[in-house]
Amino acid sequence: MEMPCNTLPSLKADTVFIHAPAFFDFRNRRDIYFPFLGTSGDVPITPLYEYFPVGFKTLQRFLGEQGYDMRIINLSSVLLRFPGICVDTLLQALDTPLIGIDLHWMVHVQGSLALAKKIHEVRPDIKVIFGGISSTYYARELITYPFVDLVMRGYDTHAPMLALLRAMQHGSNLADIPNLLWKDGSGAIRENDFSHKPASYACGIDWSHQPREAQESATIPILEILSTQNAGCAYNCGWCGGSREAFRRVFQRHRTMARKPLEEIDYEFQTMRKLPNVDKYHFYSVGSYNESPPAMRRFLDQVGETNLKSVSYEQFHLTRDDMLKQMAATNKRTIITLSPESHDPVIARLAGRGVYSNQEMEAWVERALGYGIFQIDIWYFIGMPQQGPASVQETVQYCLHLLEKFKGQNVNPMICPMIPFLDPASTFFEYPQDHGYRVFFRTAEEHRQGMERASLINRINYETRWLSREQLVDVGFHAVRSLMEAKAACSVLPRSCVADYNARIDDALQFIPVVHEADNIADPVERARELDLLGDEILRRNNLILFNGVMNQAFPLHRGIGGRWFDEMGWDPQTLQSTLEPARARRTQL
Ligand code: B12
């Protein structure tokens, strides 16, 4: 229950971008269950998906240099960090004509729309604009919501956003702003040309400043910088909403890659070198599989000149030997992430991978480690074509083999179910029957309503001929559990850590079916009554997940949030704390 807060100092900006939690408002909800492991992936986030698009940071720099002040509020982080905060109070403090909300990842559909609705209730004077990958795909539907004023399409929105801010400042017509959907004075929807599709992508980010808590927060702070050098993809995995074909569907551009200019990449590294304690930061280079060898070599030169603690690169093919040597030479803790998706070559190929055999991969791992690569992460996925429970089990067995073969050598296989969504715009989403898939939600509104279901199983938007929704969760969670056990047995992870992690999985495995049964009651009144009976148990469990810390497969220990690069909160933590009543403020301290 939200309590009134003391007012916050006014936050004045030409535009404020807010990143909504995947579910708004998750606090104190007794009727929707967020189980442990409810997210896929290895990134340090809760099931609220706190990352905001890295494009917020490029927009902030670009607009800033043009004289427009853009501020960022990660509402997800704010609400996790200060659960007592009153959102109305926060919105009242904004002094801006325009709020940007990302619906980039579809998983935010409920949170982003609910936030927009809230803004219109509390601050009808502020215009709300949506943007991001999913916003582009669903632009025509999103603009029909009464609380969405504008939608900006595109993988690069810098110039159009500048044009929009200028037009708003001068009260001029919006009809000439590329990529924009808007409503005219009569409320009629207008769609401008989707014509701003530059060959280059974005500008460099200024990494020299990080959220204030980065150094001071929890015992194990999450010090990470993330960057992507390109938008789009050279590959075509059927499940991926960023694949070659998906990019063409979403952005209506034939060429599926746009690259960051080299001088902008250089700028990013220059700013990183200015970051105090850069040697304590991990650098996550996303999408490096899309870089050509010459571009990658130039990139590695920059890494070599930056004293980062560790660096990770995602690779599609097995990296060439000369590149491995250069990677190892540029940073002592170089991590390479491979994603064969399945040990079974047929399934791997159907998943868009399968470009090397297990034998080739194992020989490559040996070589890579020999050249001084510090760690190899190997990801497997659940929810691929022709992949049934037995196949998943075999993948786990194969992971055990890898763990034993490379014992003590930092080879870390991981597995995760593809939940809650099959990416909209992916080939499997568009042509489900051709690939053995069934899609439950197609529109944005169907996804939004789906995300409000109490049961995680009912929030999943697909199933395959080989794994039902229940099985995606059940088989998926059991696979992670077995793999964690194996890691304890091989001393890759401490036994106590795994015991704690797996106890949480066991609890989720026991409680998910209970919530699911109640959520499946046809009669809404009876369903609400049954869910209410479970309410205390749901809330207790949610509070163990949605709090000021994160834990994942790659790092199964709780780490405090607040200092992650995307933990920008608009106000400094002390100010946010001071708006809470004294008693509640004490409760939220670390
Ligand atoms: C890099 C990346 C990541 C990084 C995050 C980087 C980041 N913070 O931006 C990491 C690895 C952390 C990640 C995580 C996830 N990802 Co990801 N990711 C990608 C990837 C490879 C590139 C995205 C990209 O190119 N962005 C560049 C451009 C498009 O965006 P941008 O510069 O950030 O922003 C510009 C525009 O988008 C727009 N914009 C964005 N927001 C807004 C808001 C407003 C108001 C406006 C005006 C404009 C605007 O303007 C910006 C400036 O020009 C794509 C695959 C691909 N090839 O596209 C998948 C992809 C985006 N991810 C995807 C998914 C599913 C996820 C996860 C949900 C996976 C998971 N289950 O954990 C998480 C979500 C994390 C979270 N929110 O907490 C899907 C999304 C499909 C969908 N439509 O929902 C994609 C398409 C493919 C995939 N399956 O991996 N991801």
Side-chain angles (χ1 to χ4, degrees):
M1 194 58 62
E2 212 168 70
M3 311 272 281
C5 303
N6 305 324
T7 53
L8 277 164
S10 164
L11 191 147
K12 187 171 167 48
D14 296 301
T15 178
V16 176
F17 272 46
I18 307 187
H19 178 65
F23 192 86
F24 180 84
D25 183 343
F26 63 91
R27 296 171 298 173
N28 299 314
R29 288 294 288 251
R30 297 161 44 86
D31 56 352
I32 171 164
Y33 172 43
F34 300 96
F36 182 65
L37 265 198
T39 51
S40 49
D42 65 335
V43 285
I45 51 167
T46 73
L48 302 175
Y49 295 85
E50 296 92 83
Y51 274 99
F52 53 72
V54 75
F56 276 23
K57 300 290 288 179
T58 58
L59 276 169
Q60 189 175 41
R61 175 176 166 227
F62 176 81
L63 296 173
E65 288 182 353
Q66 303 293 325
Y68 290 94
D69 188 19
M70 167 177 160
R71 301 291 293 269
I72 300 173
I73 301 178
N74 190 333
L75 189 62
S76 233
S77 301
V78 171
L79 297 180
L80 285 168
R81 188 74 185 76
F82 301 98
I85 213 110
C86 170
V87 177
D88 287 21
T89 305
L90 189 146
L91 295 175
Q92 292 296 0
L94 300 183
D95 181 359
T96 184
L98 181 69
I99 292 181
I101 298 179
D102 60 299
L103 177 51
H104 189 72
W105 297 279
M106 196 56 190
V107 72
H108 289 274
V109 63
Q110 196 279 345
S112 297
L113 287 168
L115 174 64
K117 190 162 184 252
K118 179 88 170 164
I119 293 168
H120 258 232
E121 280 159 20
V122 180
R123 293 296 304 270
D125 55 313
I126 303 180
K127 296 270 181 246
V128 170
I129 183 165
F130 269 56
I133 296 174
S134 301
S135 297
T136 303
Y137 183 67
Y138 285 114
R140 287 181 182 154
E141 184 184 345
L142 292 174
I143 195 71
T144 63
Y145 285 100
F147 39 80
V148 176
D149 300 300
L150 309 132
V151 181
M152 182 62 85
R153 295 179 287 184
Y155 51 88
D156 185 307
T157 63
H158 298 84
M161 280 306 289
L162 176 61
L164 176 65
L165 290 180
R166 282 191 179 137
M168 287 179 71
Q169 190 180 28
H170 301 117
S172 44
N173 196 333
L174 304 186
D176 295 331
I177 298 168
N179 301 12
L180 188 68
L181 281 81
W182 53 290
K183 290 169 184 163
D184 65 20
S186 69
I189 292 168
R190 305 280 300 271
E191 185 177 324
N192 297 352
D193 283 350
F194 190 1
S195 55
H196 182 76
K197 299 172 189 174
S200 68
Y201 156 71
C203 59
I205 294 166
D206 181 354
W207 286 117
S208 60
H209 302 286
Q210 289 298 302
R212 281 188 49 183
E213 292 181 293
Q215 301 298 321
E216 307 148 14
S217 71
T219 38
I220 323 172
I222 303 170
L223 301 179
E224 176 192 283
I225 301 170
L226 173 149
S227 182
T228 172
Q229 293 78 53
N230 46 61
C233 195
Y235 302 100
N236 204 25
C237 307
W239 51 269
C240 178
S243 69
R244 212 163 55 217
E245 284 177 20
F247 187 89
R248 286 190 185 129
R249 275 178 210 119
V250 177
F251 297 111
Q252 298 162 37
R253 179 178 191 256
H254 187 71
R255 295 202 62 177
T256 61
M257 290 296 316
R259 298 185 186 281
K260 200 174 265 183
L262 295 176
E263 61 277 16
E264 295 298 330
I265 296 177
D266 293 350
Y267 170 88
E268 271 184 15
F269 278 100
Q270 280 158 22
T271 63
M272 275 182 228
R273 287 178 206 124
K274 288 187 200 142
L275 175 64
N277 298 321
V278 67
D279 58 328
K280 296 198 170 62
Y281 277 79
H282 173 69
F283 179 59
Y284 181 5
S285 163
V286 196
S288 46
Y289 45 81
N290 278 322
E291 292 298 295
S292 67
M296 193 64 195
R297 258 186 237 109
R298 196 169 186 277
F299 187 78
L300 291 177
D301 287 340
Q302 290 283 15
V303 172
E305 284 168 31
T306 315
N307 190 20
L308 293 150
K309 179 180 162 209
S310 51
V311 190
S312 61
Y313 305 100
E314 297 174 331
Q315 298 284 275
F316 187 89
H317 292 279
L318 298 175
T319 321
R320 291 158 29 165
D321 288 28
D322 57 338
M323 198 70 81
L324 285 174
K325 288 180 195 159
Q326 197 184 345
M327 285 175 168
T330 51
N331 190 292
K332 284 205 297 283
R333 287 170 169 257
T334 294
I335 302 164
I336 297 187
T337 304
L338 298 178
S339 328
E341 312 301 21
S342 171
H343 75 289
D344 178 332
V346 173
I347 297 174
R349 221 165 292 127
L350 290 169
R353 310 292 163 106
V355 291
Y356 45 82
S357 68
N358 292 331
Q359 292 73 13
E360 284 165 337
M361 182 181 80
E362 289 179 30
W364 174 91
V365 169
E366 266 171 41
R367 282 204 309 282
L369 294 170
Y371 294 141
I373 297 295
F374 178 72
Q375 183 174 325
I376 314 281
D377 289 346
I378 307 176
W379 275 101
Y380 293 97
F381 223 7
I382 301 173
M384 298 297 106
Q386 290 190 22
Q387 187 189 39
S391 173
V392 174
Q393 201 43 51
E394 283 166 23
T395 298
V396 174
Q397 288 304 322
Y398 180 66
C399 292
L400 305 196
H401 158 75
L402 289 174
L403 285 169
E404 271 157 21
K405 177 161 181 175
F406 296 105
K407 201 169 173 174
Q409 293 185 79
N410 285 349
V411 174
N412 191 18
M414 285 174 277
I415 189 160
C416 77
M418 187 169 75
I419 54 172
F421 293 160
L422 169 66
D423 291 353
S426 66
T427 299
F428 297 167
F429 182 88
E430 299 295 318
Y431 306 102
Q433 277 111 342
D434 297 354
H435 302 277
Y437 282 66
R438 176 175 170 208
V439 169
F440 294 92
F441 321 140
R442 292 224 71 91
T443 62
E445 178 57 18
E446 283 165 6
H447 280 88
R448 191 195 67 76
Q449 287 176 16
M451 278 301 279
E452 296 205 317
R453 296 299 299 264
S455 156
L456 171 65
I457 296 167
N458 288 334
R459 297 202 287 274
I460 297 176
N461 74 347
Y462 77 102
E463 66 185 17
T464 72
R465 212 180 288 153
W466 306 272
L467 287 173
S468 67
R469 292 205 275 193
E470 280 89 341
Q471 285 175 312
L472 284 165
V473 172
D474 190 63
V475 171
F477 280 36
H478 274 108
V480 178
R481 192 188 189 291
S482 307
L483 188 51
M484 293 301 273
E485 273 300 323
K487 288 182 185 173
C490 290
S491 308
V492 170
L493 289 172
R495 164 73 51 202
S496 60
C497 213
V498 170
D500 176 38
Y501 193 89
N502 281 353
R504 291 162 198 264
I505 295 185
D506 289 340
D507 181 65
L509 280 168
Q510 177 264 315
F511 197 57
I512 288 169
V514 176
V515 175
H516 190 58
E517 198 185 329
D519 195 35
N520 279 352
I521 296 171
D523 175 42
V525 177
E526 201 190 324
R527 180 168 69 235
R529 196 177 48 232
E530 284 302 311
L531 284 173
D532 192 51
L533 289 175
L534 297 173
D536 289 346
E537 283 299 299
I538 290 176
L539 184 58
R540 184 177 68 76
R541 285 175 169 85
N542 288 351
N543 285 341
L544 293 174
I545 307 291
L546 304 176
F547 78 114
N548 204 6
V550 289
M551 182 192 225
N552 58 29
Q553 228 183 113
F555 204 103
L557 269 182
H558 267 301
R559 291 183 290 171
I561 68 165
R564 300 170 299 181
W565 68 263
F566 45 94
D567 282 330
E568 284 193 34
M569 295 190 281
W571 294 265
D572 63 40
Q574 290 74 13
T575 309
L576 288 165
Q577 182 103 354
S578 69
T579 66
L580 304 173
E581 290 170 356
R584 281 188 295 141
R586 270 200 303 279
R587 269 214 317 270
T588 59
Q589 276 168 358
L590 275 174

